[in-house]
């Protein structure tokens, strides 16, 4: 059987420092039937010249140039529209794909026609790495099935955009895949849109890419934008699950999901009541697999109780144990107090620094 074409979308902006290594990791994939769509997003360095030189000996590299810098979301959308493959792989300009990243995902998706896409783990590397590691990825190991992924979307999601490979067919149902008004959270919004269209994503235990950490990572630079955009998408996710949610409930849920703030004593009962409402609503609607939903709620309730009682660990643990439906899914006390300890020291540092 002829192997299907896989389109790799590689947006590039001022990428001269890393783009050669990123493309080399794609050229050296064990799965060969790919097209590498490189779109220069108005770079001011010699990114384009580097890619053009690489393409001279590899016809799989297809080069496009934006008329100006439009941003990652616009460029990714353009890449999707230009792609000819049945599958799409997302690649960041500074990351390295492991040698059989595409092969193992392709084989799995070909064998599981009901699954829309795969997201994997990343290994962090520094700015000096040039070649990907050799990691044994012969078989896909699923660590979160599509039902859990769908539940997790209500809390911010667990899909990692730089690692994904998915069926292009899902994009036909989405007019604008990546929202161009978002600078940081367009990927989170994209996943929410696909889930609304019935997509089934898996998260796997396999390391698929090596993620390069450096000071200019977008998620590090645009922290405020990320918080604002994430709030919007989280509310969309919540309303997909519970259409009649109030604005106060939505605000509380977003605050819990983002895990950035501590909570007042007045909010303790509101938090507990909110989790009970989430449980009862799913019992009634059967929107999610109920056991998966309870497991996800238990984890997030642990965070909520730790945040709610940063200076009262035992009161927090008592609150943690107070919802009977979650009891079978709660972690051991040691894990709860470890989580509380992290929150305590962060809250203490904020207090010392005079932050609210």
């Amino acid at each position: 059987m002829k192997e299907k074409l896989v389109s790799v979308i590689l947006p590039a902006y001022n990428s001269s420092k890393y783009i050669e290594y990123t493309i080399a990791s794609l050229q050296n994939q064990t799965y060969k039937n790919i097209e590498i769509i490189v779109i220069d997003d108005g770079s001011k360095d010699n990114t384009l010249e580097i890619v053009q030189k690489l393409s001279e000996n590899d016809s799989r590299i297809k080069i496009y140039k934006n008329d100006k810098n439009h941003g990652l979301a616009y460029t990714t959308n353009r890449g999707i529209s230009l792609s000819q493959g049945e599958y799409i792989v997302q690649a960041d300009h500074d990351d390295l794909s492991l040698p059989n990243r595409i092969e193992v995902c392709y084989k799995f998706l070909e064998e599981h026609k009901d699954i829309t896409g795969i997201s994997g783990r990343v290994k962090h590397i520094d700015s000096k790495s040039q070649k990907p590691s050799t990691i044994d990825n012969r078989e896909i190991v699923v660590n979160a099935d599509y039902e859990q992924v769908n539940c997790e979307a209500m809390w911010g999601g667990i899909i990692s955009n730089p690692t994904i490979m998915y069926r292009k067919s899902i994009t036909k149902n989405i007019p604008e895949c990546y929202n161009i008004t978002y600078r940081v959270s367009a990927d989170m919004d994209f996943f929410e849109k696909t889930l609304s269209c019935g997509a089934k994503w898996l998260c796997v235990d396999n390391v698929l890419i090596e993620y390069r950490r450096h000071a200019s990572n977008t998620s590090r630079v645009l922290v405020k934008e990320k918080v604002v955009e994430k709030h919007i998408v989280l509310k969309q996710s919540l309303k997909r699950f519970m259409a009649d949610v109030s604005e106060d409930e939505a605000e509380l849920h977003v605050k819990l999901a983002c895990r950035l703030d501590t909570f007042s004593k007045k909010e303790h009962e509101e938090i507990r009541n909110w989790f009970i409402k989430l449980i009862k609503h799913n019992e009634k609607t059967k929107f999610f697999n109920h056991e998966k939903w309870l497991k996800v709620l238990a984890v997030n309730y642990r965070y909520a109780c730790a945040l709610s009682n940063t200076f009262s660990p035992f009161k927090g643990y008592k609150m943690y144990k107070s919802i009977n439906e979650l009891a079978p899914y709660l972690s051991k006390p040691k894990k709860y107090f470890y989580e509380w300890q992290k929150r305590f020291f962060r809250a203490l540092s904020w207090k010392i620094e005079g932050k609210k």
Side-chain angles (χ1 to χ4, degrees), residues 95-143:
D95 297 336
L96 301 176
S97 292
L98 268 65
N100 61 352
R101 170 193 178 182
I102 295 176
E103 180 185 3
V104 293
C105 294
Y106 175 85
K107 287 181 177 178
F108 187 89
L109 290 170
E110 281 293 287
E111 292 170 3
H112 300 81
K113 301 293 186 182
D114 61 321
I115 301 301
T116 305
I118 291 175
S119 168
R121 290 175 53 221
V122 305
K123 175 185 175 184
H124 291 107
I125 57 175
D126 60 26
S127 60
K128 297 178 182 179
S129 298
Q130 298 180 6
K131 293 182 179 181
S133 306
T134 301
I135 298 176
D136 188 356
N137 265 339
R138 285 175 293 181
E139 293 184 10
I140 287 291
V141 179
V142 177
N143 61 9

Side-chain angles (χ1 to χ4, degrees), residues 82-98:
L82 291 167
S83 64
Q84 300 296 313
E86 187 167 326
Y87 292 103
I88 290 177
V89 165
Q90 192 69 38
D92 284 357
H93 70 96
D94 50 359
D95 297 336
L96 301 176
S97 292
L98 268 65

Side-chain angles (χ1 to χ4, degrees), residues 263-270 308-309 312 315:
F263 296 87
S264 66
K265 290 182 180 179
K266 293 180 180 180
E267 292 174 300
H268 288 191
E269 194 61 28
E270 292 177 10
S308 301
N309 297 272
S312 305
K315 287 184 179 179

Side-chain angles (χ1 to χ4, degrees), residues 269-333:
E269 194 61 28
E270 292 177 10
I271 292 169
R272 186 176 180 278
N273 289 340
W274 176 239
F275 274 86
I276 291 172
K277 184 171 182 176
L278 292 172
I279 293 168
K280 299 301 182 185
H281 182 76
N282 196 61
E283 283 180 343
K284 181 180 179 181
T285 63
K286 296 180 172 58
F287 190 87
F288 298 123
N289 173 289
H290 198 57
E291 183 178 5
K292 298 285 174 67
W293 183 231
L294 290 175
K295 287 181 179 179
V296 170
L297 286 183
V299 172
N300 284 280
Y301 193 54
R302 184 177 78 225
Y303 291 129
C305 294
L307 282 167
S308 301
N309 297 272
T310 49
F311 297 100
S312 305
F314 295 104
K315 287 184 179 179
Y317 187 67
K318 184 178 180 181
M319 177 181 173
Y320 180 53
K321 299 276 286 183
S322 67
I323 300 179
N324 293 333
E325 292 91 337
L326 296 182
Y329 308 101
L330 300 182
S331 59
K332 295 179 181 179

